[in-house]
DNA sequence: TAACGCTGTGTAATAATATAACATATTTAA
DNA sequence: TTAAATATGTTATATTATTACACAGCGTTA
């Protein structure tokens, strides 16, 4: 697994920003925030984001087109993600549930497909919004 | 649950098209295909798509921004979807696995969140592409 | 009937998300 | 030390999705 030390300047700038936020950030809001650091174009942001996703430092919340830091610093689960999303306040939390992970990891369909990754998003209302 | 008979003209045209495809269709490819039937603008497509998603006739594949018909005509599961996606040929299949569904339905996090919906996408290689 | 709320339509404009293409630089590895 | 792989900077463009506005149809109900 790649270490943070090997990240490039742009990747570090963008990872720092995402890690400081406890909630997902969108690409163009990231772009706006890093313009003062000399990152000027969408592609510079997307390139860094893609790399960070690939090495498991961040995850993409597919239903929201937004990116959140992975807090799971020990095992770098980049390929098995579970999130809970409040449909009212849009609060997003990454879930690490051992039993659930096992069921998902062990899942086999009847088509002979070979899985290497999954993404699960739960939607509902958080405690504040119920 | 709303019946197909109650769908409007635009909704029927678009549902028919999606149901004829066994693979997900993208909004603008749908738009291209239905122009001959008098649907001219993106918004007309998105409005129909949103409605069809809402009533469970189709699902959105979030990681692909594409829409696929729900084949599960009996129970209209609109709020609990599982897909397998081949990352090579992009073949998408909806999965109905009783055990998995039970685990997901019964999942409780430790934050007191109330879930009403989930979406799970498995990624890998299908038999043809392995 | 008439007024109202609700849902859908049609159209134009625009916003938001993401990639292509090209030239160049830097790092890694044989 | 040369070649391959990875990253950068920039411009332009493609793709996905929504806002805003005017109006039509339909069922409820005053
Ligand atoms: Zn994570
Ligand atoms: Zn909430
Ligand atoms: Zn379905
Ligand atoms: Zn395949």
């Amino acid at each position: 697994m790649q270490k943070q030390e090997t990240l490039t300047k742009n990747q570090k700038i963008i990872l720092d920003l995402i890690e400081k936020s406890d909630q997902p950030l969108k690409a163009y809001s990231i772009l706006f925030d890093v313009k003062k650091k000399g990152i000027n174009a969408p592609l510079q942001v997307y390139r860094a984001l893609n790399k960070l996703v690939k090495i498991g430092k961040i995850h993409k919340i597919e239903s929201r087109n937004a990116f959140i830091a992975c807090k799971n610093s020990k095992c770098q689960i980049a390929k098995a993600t579970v999130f809970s999303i409040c449909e009212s306040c849009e609060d997003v939390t990454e879930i690490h549930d051992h039993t659930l992970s096992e069921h998902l990891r062990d899942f086999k369909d009847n088509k002979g497909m070979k899985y290497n990754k999954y993404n699960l998003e739960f939607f509902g209302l958080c405690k504040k919004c119920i």
Side-chain angles (χ1 to χ4, degrees), chain A residues 39-99:
Chain A
I39 295 176
N40 299 301
L43 191 46
Q44 294 175 288
V45 173
Y46 279 105
R47 285 198 280 226
L49 290 173
N50 290 341
K51 180 63 185 293
L52 293 167
V53 166
K54 204 172 171 188
I55 65 177
K57 291 289 186 183
I58 66 174
H59 304 301
K60 182 171 185 182
I61 313 297
E62 293 288 356
S63 68
R64 298 300 186 260
N65 300 315
F67 299 85
I68 193 167
C70 179
K71 300 297 197 308
N72 190 19
S73 56
K74 285 178 200 157
C75 50
Q76 295 292 1
I77 300 175
K79 307 199 157 183
T81 52
V82 183
F83 300 97
S84 82
I85 304 172
C86 174
E87 291 185 299
S88 170
C89 69
E90 289 294 325
D91 182 89
V92 174
T93 307
E94 185 167 1
I95 293 173
H96 298 109
D97 182 277
H98 187 65
T99 310

Side-chain angles (χ1 to χ4, degrees), chain A residues 5-22:
Chain A
E5 290 85 349
T6 72
L7 294 179
T8 66
K9 178 174 142 286
N10 287 3
Q11 289 160 8
K12 271 184 208 138
I13 291 170
I14 286 173
L15 178 57
D16 283 353
L17 183 68
I18 297 175
E19 282 183 336
K20 271 174 198 142
S21 168
D22 67 334

